[in-house]
Amino acid sequence: MSMLEITDITKDYGASRALHPVSLSVDEGEFVTILGPSGCGKSSLLRIVMGISQQSGGEIRLAGKRIDMLPPERRDIAMVFQSYALFPHMTVEQNLRFGLRMKNVAKAEQQRRIAHAMEICTLTGLSSRMPRQLSGGQQQRVALARAIVMQPNLLLFDEPLSNLDAKLRDTLRHELVALHRRIGATSLYVTHDQAEAMAMSDRIVVMNAGRVIEVGTPLELYRSPRQAFTAGFLGQTNLLAVTASGRKAHLPWGQLVDLAEDAAGPGQVSVRPESIGIRACDRGGRDTGSCAPATVAGVSFMGASALYTVAIGDTLLKVSQAGGDALIEPGRTVALSFPDRLPLLEDRAPDREAA
Amino acid sequence: MTALSDHAPALRQARSLRFTSDDRLPVAISLYASLFLAIALPLGLMFLWSIADGWRPPNLLPQAYTAARWADVLADDGLLRAAINSVVIAIVVTFATAIIALPTAWAMARFPFRLKRVVEVFILAPIIIPGIVVAVGIGQIFLALGLAYSVAGVILVQIVGTLPLMIRLMTAALETIPDDLIHAARSLGAGTPGIVRHIVLPLAVPGLLAGGLMSFVGSFEEFDKSFIVGAPVVETLPIKLYMYLDPYSMQLPLASIVSFLLLLPALIVFVIAGRVLRDDLMAAGMGKI
Ligand SMILES: Nc1ncnc2c1ncn2[C@@H]1O[C@H](COP(=O)(O)OP(=O)(O)O)[C@@H](O)[C@H]1O
Ligand SMILES: [Mg+2]
């Protein structure tokens, strides 16, 4: 059953439209991430769901009940802010207690919930500290604990890890999802970091310029995106203009590849660097047929893999190779192999590729 | 000596422009010296004048001392009444100013409305305009309204003087409260009254205290407006004390006693404040004038 149902929400700031009709849903117990570049309207949408910003149109349902007309304090939603927004004049414990007091939860129950939240957020022993006496990671966990003591129907997160250093961010990612599972929460999470989105989410909602571009599991969106934007935003990719006829398509330099389904005319495919096979051709030039046009233009060694830039015709391809005994040095001709059953992307090739 | 001056340029470069522990002594000495020159010395001289019984140049100290003038002034029981008047009026003025200033300051701090700077100048205008000008203008209106010669009238006219600074200080304090804090409180179930009580007021404390102290002292020492609106029916301490001064001959000894008595409440209030408040809180509020 879907816990949160957002239908055709729009938001105008004066004359400029920050959200075009946006619809999405979050099932009970699900961890859904809204992923998109800065300024695409993620925070605007989250604030509207929380009720601290007013939508220009559309409706929101939580557990089947319409909530878009309710003030935030009556929505049964809790939010973790990017800035944490801890009350600086209250101790950790007072911060956690604040919401319970406002909702008139009984004293004993307050105590129980606070103790539980302190424990699962590993804050034990910090209850009488002031927020300014805590590290960034601890502050982040207090913000989280303050939200979960409310036992809300829905937890909202607005880039809660973006102010932390990379290492801490990595640990907290996993802690956060584990916590979400443990307490059986329903979460809507916002980030511009694709790695974070893929590592944490049950489903990802990709947004750009105030619109939902595509929705799917991390695997679906990474392996077989239907939109060029998704393909480009989730990890690295090669976007190639093709001319299709039937099950086959010609790549820009004339090579023939298999398509996933029948198509005709110009289209675009996305090929991940790691799904292209690369092999140095013999110096003797026995297999000149497939080797002739492709040359290594550059290589960077990434540790787990090597990332090659390969020039083929007018196109520069990114190709990554895991393992391998030695790097292929620039200037060598190489043979490339492409995966079968490439899906055609749904939008047209960008003009610069077509030209 | 030569060795020292050889090292000097290198040293200066190495420690750039920040204070180090080496600087502590000279900094402390110059700070205390300037405090002494600016505050203690004049106060000391004033005190000497108030107890001097004849002090003519070229003598460095008075030739004789007397407590008679102090006794005379303090024996006047009108003085005690005036002092009580002043304290009561100052307390009422301070609270009224705070209550009026809070919503105004909130609006100034929260809403980025255009012409905000213009509004700010209007709010601060009474500070620039001499009290006597305000008082004469308002005096006419108060006369018509029957507020002249009443305590209520004096309180009202004093609020005109204390409000601008209170609004300024509180605006500055409220501006430092991030929007997200308000949003977070709201998302945790607090309505507007809860937010004001549990978030805004506690965080506005530095501004409120600084503004409150300034209002209290400002009201206690206020003369021109209170005089025009209240005298001779309502007698505040400054009105009473100024009457000791003879306009035809400058009497330094009496003037010194008057100054001391007017300074007293300010000193008491600030000492209490210093005791009660944490230093950083006080500094946070006062830094915003
Ligand atoms: N209060 C506001 N007034 C005017 N424009 C705003 C306001 N808040 C956001 N915007 C605009 O709306 C767009 C979306 O902003 P936001 O939701 O903050 O994006 P994101 O969180 O994805 O970075 C941006 O172009 C931003 O400039
Ligand atoms: Mg944002």
Side-chain angles (χ1 to χ4, degrees):
Chain A
M1 191 202 90
S2 80
M3 178 60 89
L4 175 72
E5 190 85 54
I6 297 175
T7 317
D8 292 334
I9 286 291
T10 58
K11 177 71 183 173
D12 300 315
Y13 290 112
S16 78
R17 175 151 273 205
L19 293 175
H20 297 269
V22 166
S23 302
L24 61 93
S25 69
V26 183
D27 286 344
E28 192 168 351
E30 215 183 3
F31 195 107
V32 171
T33 297
I34 301 178
L35 173 68
S38 245
C40 74
K42 307 180 298 288
S43 295
S44 299
L45 182 61
L46 217 59
R47 283 159 184 277
I48 288 170
V49 175
M50 183 67 250
I52 52 190
S53 166
Q54 188 67 42
Q55 72 274 19
S56 308
E59 64 173 68
I60 304 170
R61 284 170 187 280
L62 185 68
K65 230 175 50 203
R66 240 189 113 160
I67 57 159
D68 47 272
M69 297 311 179
L70 296 178
E73 63 265 27
R74 295 182 46 208
R75 290 192 178 196
D76 205 6
I77 299 176
M79 180 158 173
V80 177
F81 291 82
Q82 183 170 8
S83 59
Y84 311 142
L86 300 180
F87 306 127
H89 58 298
M90 298 184 193
T91 62
V92 168
E93 185 183 338
Q94 287 166 336
N95 264 281
L96 299 199
R97 194 181 297 281
F98 182 80
L100 301 174
R101 265 171 74 199
M102 292 296 113
K103 294 232 157 133
N104 292 317
V105 174
K107 261 274 154 52
E109 172 72 4
Q110 288 185 11
Q111 221 54 44
R112 201 187 56 73
R113 286 205 214 170
I114 291 172
H116 182 239
M118 297 276 288
E119 193 203 314
I120 58 177
C121 295
T122 55
L123 289 167
T124 320
L126 299 178
S127 61
S128 54
R129 294 272 192 94
M130 298 305 271
R132 64 170 177 278
Q133 300 171 313
L134 301 176
S135 70
Q138 288 170 334
Q139 290 184 16
Q140 207 280 328
R141 288 203 292 267
V142 176
L144 180 63
R146 191 178 65 178
I148 65 179
V149 288
M150 303 304 290
Q151 303 185 344
N153 270 333
L154 177 68
L155 273 172
L156 301 177
F157 299 88
D158 192 355
E159 314 215 15
L161 304 183
S162 64
N163 290 339
L164 303 170
D165 60 76
K167 200 153 190 178
L168 194 55
R169 204 155 55 209
D170 233 38
T171 346
L172 283 177
R173 243 181 227 174
H174 300 293
E175 280 183 20
L176 220 148
V177 181
L179 193 68
H180 159 92
R181 303 256 176 265
R182 188 127 57 101
I183 62 176
T186 305
S187 302
L188 184 58
Y189 188 98
V190 156
T191 183
H192 65 265
D193 180 337
Q194 45 99 9
E196 197 170 297
M198 287 199 279
M200 299 176 81
S201 323
D202 294 323
R203 276 189 308 139
I204 298 176
V205 176
V206 180
M207 273 187 74
N208 188 30
R211 289 189 166 82
V212 171
I213 302 296
E214 197 170 355
V215 183
T217 66
L219 203 70
E220 284 165 4
L221 293 183
Y222 188 82
R223 291 271 172 83
S224 44
R226 306 196 65 83
Q227 300 288 333
F229 181 80
T230 311
F233 202 75
L234 280 171
Q236 296 201 35
T237 198
N238 297 292
L239 289 178
L240 303 171
V242 296
T243 319
S245 64
R247 271 298 176 90
K248 299 270 178 201
H250 284 283
L251 293 176
W253 56 93
Q255 189 171 348
L256 213 56
V257 288
D258 280 336
L259 289 182
E261 54 217 82
D262 282 339
Q268 197 180 18
V269 294
S270 151
V271 192
R272 298 279 175 203
E274 68 271 17
S275 56
I276 303 178
I278 184 169
R279 174 176 60 84
C281 296
D282 291 340
R283 293 224 188 258
R286 264 175 290 149
D287 40 13
T288 36
S290 60
C291 278
T295 330
V296 172
V299 55
S300 43
F301 182 58
M302 321 283 287
S305 63
L307 186 66
Y308 294 98
T309 310
V310 176
I312 181 165
D314 295 336
T315 315
L316 283 178
L317 282 179
K318 283 175 286 209
V319 180
S320 106
Q321 186 187 37
D325 296 336
L327 296 180
I328 306 170
E329 64 264 34
R332 286 288 295 274
T333 46
V334 287
L336 300 177
S337 58
F338 283 81
D340 289 339
R341 304 172 55 78
L342 284 173
L344 269 184
L345 297 175
E346 276 173 8
D347 47 355
R348 284 193 55 250
D351 290 341
R352 70 186 157 80
E353 301 260 350
Chain B
M1 197 64 219
T2 40
L4 245 180
S5 55
D6 280 343
H7 283 292
L11 258 180
R12 206 170 299 137
Q13 261 183 352
R15 55 184 198 173
S16 74
L17 290 169
R18 316 198 69 197
F19 285 128
T20 67
S21 50
D22 294 349
D23 299 323
R24 218 177 276 161
L25 195 63
V27 166
I29 289 175
S30 40
L31 266 179
Y32 280 111
S34 17
L35 274 180
F36 176 76
L37 279 177
I39 297 177
L41 192 61
L43 280 181
L45 281 177
M46 260 167 53
F47 185 69
L48 279 183
W49 266 117
S50 73
I51 56 169
D53 194 13
W55 187 1
R56 257 165 257 292
N59 294 303
L60 223 51
L61 287 173
Q63 290 94 334
Y65 298 94
T66 171
R69 260 184 256 103
W70 275 99
D72 274 358
V73 171
L74 293 178
D76 185 348
D77 44 296
L79 195 71
L80 185 66
R81 228 178 309 118
I84 293 173
N85 272 348
S86 276
V87 170
V88 172
I89 289 175
I91 291 174
V92 176
V93 165
T94 303
F95 278 92
T97 308
I99 291 168
I100 299 171
L102 190 60
T104 317
W106 181 251
M108 296 281 291
R110 289 292 111 177
F111 305 114
F113 52 83
R114 264 180 293 171
L115 303 178
K116 183 167 165 173
R117 293 293 147 206
V118 179
V119 174
E120 216 157 50
V121 168
F122 266 108
I123 287 177
L124 288 176
I127 294 184
I128 306 159
I129 299 168
I132 194 111
V133 176
V134 176
V136 169
I138 289 181
Q140 298 289 325
I141 302 168
F142 276 18
L143 217 50
L145 293 176
L147 280 168
Y149 313 120
S150 72
V151 173
V154 171
I155 289 174
L156 274 179
V157 80
Q158 285 193 356
I159 289 176
V160 174
T162 53
L163 205 48
L165 196 56
M166 181 73 108
I167 292 178
R168 179 79 199 91
L169 285 168
M170 274 171 48
T171 305
L174 295 179
E175 269 172 351
T176 61
I177 303 178
D179 281 342
D180 271 358
L181 234 45
I182 310 293
H183 293 153
R186 181 140 276 161
S187 75
L188 290 168
T192 307
I195 287 172
V196 171
R197 198 163 134 232
H198 298 293
I199 311 295
V200 175
L201 280 181
L203 289 176
V205 160
L208 268 174
L209 281 173
L213 290 180
M214 301 310 259
S215 296
F216 187 89
V217 172
S219 158
F220 202 93
E221 294 174 344
E222 209 283 328
F223 175 72
D224 342 2
K225 297 194 281 283
S226 311
F227 181 77
I228 290 182
V229 172
V233 182
V234 182
E235 218 164 44
T236 63
L237 193 61
I239 294 176
K240 182 81 188 162
L241 289 173
Y242 277 93
M243 284 175 182
Y244 282 110
L245 298 180
D246 181 351
Y248 297 107
S249 69
M250 187 56 185
Q251 297 196 35
L252 273 176
L254 262 183
S256 300
I257 293 180
V258 169
S259 316
F260 254 108
L261 290 177
L262 284 178
L263 202 58
L264 211 57
L267 281 179
I268 293 173
V269 164
F270 272 84
V271 167
I272 293 176
R275 281 286 159 91
V276 173
L277 299 180
R278 296 200 320 275
D279 292 345
D280 53 335
L281 216 62
M282 184 77 170
M286 289 298 182
K288 283 157 187 162
I289 298 176

